[in-house]
Amino acid sequence: QVHLVQSGAEVENPGASVKVSCQASGYTFTTYPLQWVRQAPGQGLEWMGWINAANGNTKYSQKFQGRVTITRDTSANTAYLTLSRLKSEDTAVYYCARGNDWFDPWGQGTLVIVSS
Amino acid sequence: SSELTQDPSVSVALGQTVRITCQGDTLKNSHPTWYQQKPGQAPLLVIYNKNDRPSGIPDRFSGSSSGDTASLTITGAQAEDEGDYYCNSRDTSGNQWVFGGGTKLTVL
């Protein structure tokens, strides 16, 4: 069974960076891209970017360009989202999800709180 | 435009049929996927490839589209169908994805 397990909640100061991990199991990691989506409290879903797990190519939402980096470690079957220069508005649950044209399954989500 | 527009909320009586719509220019050339999200949970894929359902999704869920508008229809809504529903599609560039604002479904 395919599973995506994400790292635990983080509390960060404004201006800092956060790195969230997403470990995949139950399939060959390099055969599907991984997407990152976030959801601010009480708000909708917002696509952030994706990574081709086979070759590491990435594409980011223009909104986050310059602040977001998505990487992967194929030996660990893990993808990473790094968001820098954090602002209070970045407080959200961050999800990873497998897939290209549809996202399935999703990780359980990682709460990131940005607060001084 | 790369935006997808959804009604913020919809309600349906138990056992009746409800349609949740998603409108956007990008839908003229592609079919959206649909996700259900319940409070405190990750989104769950319910419709992909216009009208395919993942294993475990009841057949009361179906998808359709016409022009720039796509619909998720629940035929015989159940109490457990309450939640937020999001449509999602590639944007007009084809390289990025965009979500609709979500529709909160209430089953009365």
Side-chain angles (χ1 to χ4, degrees), chain A residues 39 59 61 100-101 103 107, chain B residues 35 37 86 90 95-97:
Chain A
Q39 186 171 37
K59 187 70 177 180
S61 166
N100 191 2
D101 290 310
F103 307 165
Chain B
Y35 301 90
Q37 187 180 35
Y86 295 91
R90 291 179 186 255
N95 293 322
Q96 303 195 24
W97 279 260

Side-chain angles (χ1 to χ4, degrees), chain A residues 26-55:
Chain A
Y27 71 100
T28 301
F29 180 71
T30 53
T31 57
Y32 290 89
L34 281 165
Q35 312 277 348
W36 286 92
V37 176
R38 80 175 187 180
Q39 186 171 37
Q43 302 301 308
L45 302 174
E46 183 172 35
W47 181 78
M48 299 183 70
W50 71 297
I51 187 166
N52 181 322
N55 60 22

Side-chain angles (χ1 to χ4, degrees), chain A:
Chain A
Q1 193 172 6
V2 177
H3 283 295
L4 300 178
V5 177
Q6 298 183 222
S7 49
E10 305 269 8
V11 179
E12 302 290 348
N13 290 321
S17 297
V18 67
K19 188 172 186 178
V20 179
S21 68
C22 170
Q23 185 173 39
S25 62
Y27 71 100
T28 301
F29 180 71
T30 53
T31 57
Y32 290 89
L34 281 165
Q35 312 277 348
W36 286 92
V37 176
R38 80 175 187 180
Q39 186 171 37
Q43 302 301 308
L45 302 174
E46 183 172 35
W47 181 78
M48 299 183 70
W50 71 297
I51 187 166
N52 181 322
N55 60 22
N57 287 346
T58 55
K59 187 70 177 180
Y60 304 127
S61 166
Q62 292 174 357
K63 175 176 179 176
F64 301 102
Q65 198 81 32
R67 287 208 301 142
V68 66
T69 305
I70 300 173
T71 57
R72 96 285 190 226
D73 179 348
T74 57
S75 67
N77 292 343
T78 300
Y80 303 91
L81 170 80
T82 300
L83 188 62
S84 61
R85 302 193 299 278
L86 289 169
K87 301 171 275 191
S88 59
E89 307 91 272
D90 294 318
T91 293
V93 176
Y94 290 76
Y95 294 101
C96 62
R98 187 189 76 162
N100 191 2
D101 290 310
W102 53 87
F103 307 165
D104 179 57
W106 295 57
Q108 84 277 17
T110 297
L111 175 62
V112 174
I113 297 173
V114 182
S115 174
S116 56

